[in-house]
Amino acid sequence: MTSPRHDYSVVIPAHNEAAVIERCLRAVMDDPQGVGEIIVACNGCTDDTAAIARRIAPQAKVLEIAKGSKILALNQGNAMATATPRFFVDADIVVSGKALRAVAEKLDDSSEIRAAAPALSVDLTGCSAPVRSYYKVWMQQPYVRVGMVGSGFFGLSAKGLDAVGTFPDIIADDLYVRTRFAPEQRARV
């Protein structure tokens, strides 16, 4: 029996994300055209993140990594993924299957775009005035407005994956990816 061919892969690093993993997975799987390959890389979890992921997305590959390390989760999930483009989505992010498909179209192998993400929308419902003020300023920064890639989600084409290689032991994975590509190689969809 052969595995189904997927249009894209989604790697979700998850450390004790039981409170949000269902919301993330349901959004990713909401695509009438079909769901891509999903890999949930549970790392150092002491809660039931893995069990919830298996229940909500039985088709997903769920890794259980003993060490709590986002970079380790990204690299092991990436090694297990089989399709490109490849998306890296933080477990607390909500991105629809429709948005994934739209970004995947931008990351076509014939394109010069190597890294892309959907336009960012921050839900500030229930946030305090200082938090809303902070995000009002933050949303005006060039990082957010120009060729945005990151903030919990980025997608890479096959050429983009080759350029990034293995994620180094860093803190800001999305910023690292953004700095690997010239502005004309990044896109906000």
Side-chain angles (χ1 to χ4, degrees):
M1 183 172 152
T2 60
S3 297
R5 169 81 174 99
H6 295 289
D7 294 339
Y8 56 83
S9 293
V10 180
V11 176
I12 303 170
H15 174 75
N16 289 340
E17 301 286 2
V20 295
I21 193 69
E22 180 174 349
R23 180 185 69 187
C24 176
L25 287 168
R26 288 201 187 280
V28 164
M29 295 185 308
D30 184 20
D31 184 354
Q33 294 185 43
V35 176
E37 175 183 51
I38 300 171
I39 298 152
V40 181
C42 302
N43 61 100
C45 291
T46 57
D47 66 4
D48 57 348
T49 299
I52 294 169
R54 285 186 181 100
R55 179 176 50 81
I56 299 303
Q59 78 279 21
K61 299 173 186 174
V62 179
L63 303 175
E64 293 193 61
I65 304 164
K67 182 179 179 184
S69 166
K70 183 176 183 184
I71 298 305
L72 185 61
L74 289 170
N75 285 325
Q76 287 192 14
N78 190 35
M80 182 172 269
T82 62
T84 54
R86 188 140 324 136
F87 298 108
F88 299 87
V89 179
D90 287 357
D92 62 346
I93 298 294
V94 175
V95 60
S96 71
K98 182 180 176 184
L100 289 169
R101 192 159 300 281
V103 175
E105 289 173 13
K106 276 284 194 194
L107 293 170
D108 181 272
D109 285 337
S110 65
S111 169
E112 288 304 311
I113 301 297
R114 305 285 188 264
L120 180 63
S121 173
V122 179
D123 181 2
L124 299 174
T125 305
C127 292
S128 67
V131 169
R132 287 192 310 276
S133 294
Y134 170 84
Y135 277 101
K136 182 177 180 181
V137 172
W138 185 75
M139 294 292 287
Q140 299 304 312
Q141 300 305 305
Y143 176 80
V144 176
R145 296 176 55 91
V146 180
M148 172 64 177
V149 175
S151 293
F153 175 102
F154 54 88
L156 298 171
S157 67
K159 292 175 184 175
L161 280 167
D162 288 343
V164 169
T166 302
F167 290 94
D169 201 11
I170 53 173
I171 295 173
D173 54 304
D174 43 7
L175 180 58
Y176 172 76
V177 167
R178 179 185 171 92
T179 63
R180 301 299 87 172
F181 304 102
E184 63 273 10
Q185 295 177 305
R186 300 187 314 254
R188 178 176 37 171
V189 179

